[in-house]
Amino acid sequence: MLVHIRAFASFREILGKEADLEVGEGSTVGDLLEILVSSHQGLGPAIFEEDGRLREYVIIMKNRERIDSLEGLATVLEEGDEVAILPPVAGG
Amino acid sequence: MLVHIRAFASFREILGKEADLEVGEGSTVGDLLEILVSSHQGLGPAIFEEDGRLREYVIIMKNRERIDSLEGLATVLEEGDEVAILPPVAGG
Amino acid sequence: MTGEGPSPPGRKILIAEEGFSMDEAIEAVKRDDAGAVVAFIGTVRDDGIDSLHLETYKEAAEEELLAIREEALARFGLLEAVVIHRSGRLRIGDEIVIVACSAAHRREAFDGCRYILEELKRRAPIWKKEVGPAGERWLEVGGDPAHDPARGREVP
Amino acid sequence: MTGEGPSPPGRKILIAEEGFSMDEAIEAVKRDDAGAVVAFIGTVRDDGIDSLHLETYKEAAEEELLAIREEALARFGLLEAVVIHRSGRLRIGDEIVIVACSAAHRREAFDGCRYILEELKRRAPIWKKEVGPAGERWLEVGGDPAHDPARGREVP
């Protein structure tokens, strides 16, 4: 199934602005990030701690909802979902 | 000698907007207020406490300076001084 | 001290007989080294009145506002500040006052704006008379029924 | 929720690709039952940069700003609030953001404006890249360390 990936600011410079990615049925957000890390140099250390947890200041959204308020990296993806990868915000 | 009197807001409605008043050489602000009180009904209770002190919220200025920072009611007047009588302010 | 800047009429402090432009007051405090502008605009609230009459001791009010402005520039590190206060007869919704301040950062701009406003209310010789169906009434403290006169007299 | 009001383009919340009118934003929050308007305007400060590039996750930013606005209306008793945030390339002195709030009294208007601004900086998916002689640099922390979001959530 296809999911839509969006990345912003410094993460956009690593990942590109947006892309559709083919992932297996039942894939989680964690699975998706592993795929992205394996194919984009520099992304791993930018979003993960050494112990494999997501860095505290990195925000991942599924369909504009933070995965913190879903099931985190275990959040299951469905066809057409939009996953956004956000560095620390700095508006205003 | 002549001093110039200005009154504002509710005090203006008692005293009129402005006037020149003839007072004796060496007169103080207190002397001036006594003259005004004796000639304007309602002014006395509006600006003085029963014990004769100026009400706390009444501001008297000589040449745009509060008499609090001069010698209060004992402040001596000179020819051409402007004395202003101000009720509590309410701008903004 | 008041002649150096751009509009409103080249002055940082103004008791205005006519309505004023909010945009001009805000533009007048913008600076390249400022990252923050805070503007307070007081307007005539509909409290069942027909109009509000503002009376000022103009010369003394301008002196006091200038002094308050200088204090705020020094104490809060403001880069610029403009204060315009109306006098005369105003209707519901009309602007009474604008206090516009700029600073490098938002905290100083907020604190400086608030300081100028509170000191203006406490110290500037300006009075308001409400004119309504029930007649006329001088507002004797701060003009705001929620405002505590005792507290209002303290330096905030 | 966003379609009821007057300009800016009839919306209370806007991520704007172009410059905006400060006057229109302020006019849009004025109401007859309001006595106070507070507006914060953030501008590009000259820190030795040539320009500032603002990137936004537009749909998510507008949703977040709408939520923040609703919180502020409820918690601070604001009567109206408008937030416009630029995206795209800005130069020194350009307006980045305006937060305009109206309330019956000044305290709510100040507190509500500040709340919206601090929450916007903390929560809205917006990023800044400084472009200067030394190259490009993403600014990574927007929040005010002195701002306590928990405290900001209380009605004062």
Side-chain angles (χ1 to χ4, degrees), chain D:
Chain D
M1 184 152 45
T2 59
E4 75 212 32
S7 57
R11 301 185 60 188
K12 310 299 188 188
I13 293 300
L14 190 64
I15 301 291
E17 309 291 329
E18 305 286 333
F20 51 82
S21 155
M22 295 183 292
D23 237 21
E24 277 180 28
I26 292 171
E27 288 294 339
V29 302
K30 285 179 63 180
R31 289 177 40 155
D32 282 355
D33 51 350
V37 172
V38 172
F40 174 89
I41 299 116
T43 56
V44 181
R45 189 174 59 242
D46 186 357
D47 281 337
I49 62 171
D50 296 324
S51 66
L52 190 69
H53 184 84
L54 291 174
E55 181 166 333
T56 68
Y57 184 4
K58 187 173 170 25
E59 309 89 322
E62 291 188 339
E63 284 179 12
E64 194 76 60
L65 291 177
L66 264 180
I68 293 168
R69 175 181 176 276
E70 291 295 321
E71 289 165 18
L73 291 178
R75 293 179 191 183
F76 297 91
L78 296 181
L79 294 168
E80 191 50 271
V82 163
V83 183
I84 308 175
H85 201 296
R86 278 295 311 276
S87 71
R89 187 185 176 90
L90 280 71
R91 304 202 166 272
I92 305 287
D94 284 351
E95 288 94 24
I96 299 168
V97 61
I98 184 166
V99 178
C101 298
S102 62
H105 305 288
R106 64 192 183 279
R107 173 185 290 272
E108 302 94 296
F110 271 110
D111 290 349
C113 182
R114 206 153 175 172
Y115 176 84
I116 291 175
L117 181 64
E118 298 300 335
E119 292 298 295
L120 177 161
K121 285 176 174 279
R122 204 172 66 85
R123 292 158 53 183
I126 301 173
W127 300 269
K128 286 178 187 153
K129 186 165 67 177
E130 290 181 349
V131 181
E136 301 187 344
R137 186 172 74 98
W138 287 104
L139 300 176
E140 296 267 278
V141 183
D144 178 351
H147 174 68
D148 176 352
R151 220 164 47 81
R153 284 162 194 283
E154 291 168 14
V155 176

Side-chain angles (χ1 to χ4, degrees), chain C residues 21-24 26-27 30-47 92-96 103-111 113-114 117-118 121 142 144-147 151, chain D residues 21-24 26-27 30-47 92-96 103-111 113-114 117-118 121 142-147:
Chain C
S21 156
M22 296 183 290
D23 237 21
E24 278 181 27
I26 291 171
E27 288 293 340
K30 285 179 60 181
R31 289 176 41 154
D32 282 353
D33 50 349
V37 172
V38 172
F40 174 89
I41 300 117
T43 56
V44 180
R45 190 174 58 242
D46 186 357
D47 281 336
I92 305 286
D94 285 351
E95 288 95 22
I96 299 168
H105 304 289
R106 62 193 182 279
R107 173 184 290 271
E108 302 94 294
F110 271 111
D111 290 350
C113 183
R114 206 152 176 174
L117 181 64
E118 298 300 332
K121 285 177 174 278
D144 175 352
H147 186 71
R151 230 163 38 83
Chain D
S21 155
M22 295 183 292
D23 237 21
E24 277 180 28
I26 292 171
E27 288 294 339
K30 285 179 63 180
R31 289 177 40 155
D32 282 355
D33 51 350
V37 172
V38 172
F40 174 89
I41 299 116
T43 56
V44 181
R45 189 174 59 242
D46 186 357
D47 281 337
I92 305 287
D94 284 351
E95 288 94 24
I96 299 168
H105 305 288
R106 64 192 183 279
R107 173 185 290 272
E108 302 94 296
F110 271 110
D111 290 349
C113 182
R114 206 153 175 172
L117 181 64
E118 298 300 335
K121 285 176 174 279
D144 178 351
H147 174 68

Side-chain angles (χ1 to χ4, degrees), chain A residues 37-83:
Chain A
V37 162
S38 68
S39 55
H40 293 85
Q41 195 161 20
L43 184 64
I47 67 172
F48 287 117
E49 303 282 353
E50 287 182 10
D51 64 5
R53 285 178 307 130
L54 208 55
R55 288 192 186 275
E56 199 186 1
Y57 55 73
V58 171
I59 301 163
I60 310 291
M61 288 181 151
K62 189 187 94 159
N63 300 333
R64 303 208 285 273
E65 202 168 350
R66 286 178 169 73
I67 61 167
D68 297 1
S69 50
L70 303 171
E71 283 90 48
L73 293 177
T75 303
V76 175
L77 296 171
E78 289 176 37
E79 169 78 22
D81 277 350
E82 173 175 292
V83 175

Side-chain angles (χ1 to χ4, degrees), chain C residues 12-127:
Chain C
K12 309 299 187 186
I13 294 299
L14 189 65
I15 300 293
E17 309 291 329
E18 305 288 334
F20 52 81
S21 156
M22 296 183 290
D23 237 21
E24 278 181 27
I26 291 171
E27 288 293 340
V29 302
K30 285 179 60 181
R31 289 176 41 154
D32 282 353
D33 50 349
V37 172
V38 172
F40 174 89
I41 300 117
T43 56
V44 180
R45 190 174 58 242
D46 186 357
D47 281 336
I49 62 169
D50 296 324
S51 66
L52 190 70
H53 184 84
L54 291 174
E55 181 167 334
T56 67
Y57 182 6
K58 186 173 170 29
E59 308 89 322
E62 292 188 338
E63 284 180 11
E64 194 76 59
L65 291 177
L66 263 181
I68 293 168
R69 174 181 177 275
E70 292 293 321
E71 289 165 19
L73 291 178
R75 291 183 192 179
F76 298 92
L78 297 180
L79 294 168
E80 192 49 272
V82 162
V83 183
I84 309 175
H85 201 297
R86 278 295 310 275
S87 70
R89 186 186 176 90
L90 280 70
R91 303 201 168 274
I92 305 286
D94 285 351
E95 288 95 22
I96 299 168
V97 62
I98 184 166
V99 178
C101 298
S102 62
H105 304 289
R106 62 193 182 279
R107 173 184 290 271
E108 302 94 294
F110 271 111
D111 290 350
C113 183
R114 206 152 176 174
Y115 176 84
I116 291 175
L117 181 64
E118 298 300 332
E119 291 298 293
L120 178 161
K121 285 177 174 278
R122 202 172 69 85
R123 291 159 52 183
I126 301 173
W127 300 269

Side-chain angles (χ1 to χ4, degrees), chain B residues 15-88:
Chain B
L15 278 166
K17 189 173 169 59
E18 44 195 313
D20 289 312
L21 195 73
E22 180 71 35
V23 296
E25 292 294 326
S27 292
T28 64
V29 169
D31 297 334
L32 174 69
L33 292 180
E34 287 302 331
I35 296 172
L36 292 173
V37 162
S38 68
S39 56
H40 293 86
Q41 197 160 19
L43 184 64
I47 67 172
F48 287 116
E49 303 283 353
E50 286 182 10
D51 64 7
R53 286 179 307 130
L54 208 55
R55 287 191 186 275
E56 199 188 359
Y57 56 74
V58 172
I59 300 163
I60 310 291
M61 288 181 152
K62 188 187 94 159
N63 300 333
R64 305 208 283 273
E65 201 168 351
R66 287 178 168 74
I67 61 166
D68 297 3
S69 48
L70 303 172
E71 282 89 49
L73 294 177
T75 303
V76 175
L77 296 172
E78 289 176 38
E79 171 77 24
D81 278 349
E82 174 175 288
V83 175
I85 304 173
L86 284 56

